[in-house]
């Protein structure tokens, strides 16, 4: 089955939305096979968002992502990558459709509550970034 990486980002954790978001994950038919709460080190956040290293928002993004604890989870479902992107909505909460997680809980294009992998390859790569094989439970 296909996998995607979800992150509940620092703003959503601070705002008390872990429960709301996990409830939505389950309601949308995802299996949570691995999950952890952690705080990223700066170097880890820089690695994870490495593709954005040259973007003007990179430094601010890294600062935001290390500003508090996060939840990371490997979500499994048919069509997991594309489906989760649909559930979370546009990167910019203002442009997200009604009912999407970013529309509901995101505060800005940076503090947008959740992450979702953007391709099959990245779904694998990003779950591998956080989880060892033994951490997956079915
Ligand atoms: P995505 O999370 O929807 O895939 P990306 O373009 O991959 O969006 O950007 C990664 C993250 O960087 C976003 O989720 C958001 O937190 C932040 N970000 C993206 N674009 C901007 C921007 O223009 N200004 C500030 N932060 C941004
Ligand atoms: Mg992305």
């Amino acid at each position: 089955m296909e996998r995607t990486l979800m992150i509940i980002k620092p703003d959503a954790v601070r705002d008390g939305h872990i429960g709301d978001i996990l409830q939505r994950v389950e309601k949308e038919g995802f299996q949570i096979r691995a999950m952890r709460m952690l705080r990223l080190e700066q170097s880890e956040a820089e690695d994870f968002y490495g593709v954005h290293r040259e973007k003007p928002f990179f430094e601010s993004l890294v600062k935001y992502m290390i500003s508090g604890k996060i939840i990371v989870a490997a979500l499994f479902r048919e069509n997991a990558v594309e489906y989760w992107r649909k559930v979370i909505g546009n990167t910019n909460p203002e442009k997200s459709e009604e009912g999407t997680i970013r529309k509901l809980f995101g505060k800005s294009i940076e503090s947008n509550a959740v992450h979702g992998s953007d391709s099959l390859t990245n779904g694998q790569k990003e779950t591998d970034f956080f989880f060892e094989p033994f951490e997956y439970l079915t």
Side-chain angles (χ1 to χ4, degrees):
M1 211 186 310
E2 199 172 306
R3 68 178 66 186
T4 191
L5 180 78
M6 172 193 74
I7 303 179
I8 306 179
K9 296 184 178 183
D11 58 311
V13 173
R14 265 194 297 274
D15 293 347
H17 295 311
I18 296 174
D20 296 317
I21 293 167
L22 291 182
Q23 186 174 43
R24 182 67 176 272
V25 164
E26 293 189 317
K27 195 190 128 226
E28 299 290 354
F30 289 94
Q31 291 175 23
I32 303 169
R33 292 201 187 166
M35 182 161 66
R36 188 171 343 109
M37 185 162 71
L38 63 121
R39 187 166 180 166
L40 285 170
E41 301 284 349
Q42 176 161 335
S43 60
E44 294 173 320
E46 286 170 354
D47 281 355
F48 183 78
Y49 280 116
V51 294
H52 295 307
R53 207 172 283 273
E54 305 306 324
K55 304 269 171 67
F57 59 81
F58 180 70
E59 206 175 314
S60 174
L61 170 62
V62 167
K63 218 169 166 186
Y64 157 59
M65 287 302 294
I66 65 171
S67 70
K69 60 194 181 186
I70 61 173
I71 302 281
V72 295
L75 306 184
F76 284 69
R77 190 190 186 282
E78 255 166 57
N79 200 27
V81 168
E82 195 187 330
Y83 192 88
W84 180 244
R85 295 287 298 198
K86 201 164 269 176
V87 171
I88 71 180
N90 193 280
T91 306
N92 185 349
E94 283 175 21
K95 293 185 183 161
S96 290
E97 279 181 52
E98 290 300 325
T100 58
I101 294 175
R102 283 170 165 171
K103 181 73 166 193
L104 288 166
F105 305 125
K107 296 205 282 293
S108 69
I109 193 168
E110 179 175 86
S111 295
N112 59 6
V114 281
H115 171 83
S117 307
D118 65 1
S119 66
L120 212 56
T121 307
N122 283 334
Q124 187 68 51
K125 211 173 122 188
E126 293 178 355
T127 50
D128 286 346
F129 185 92
F130 287 105
F131 299 109
E132 299 291 334
F134 74 87
E135 294 181 272
Y136 290 88
L137 305 174
T138 52

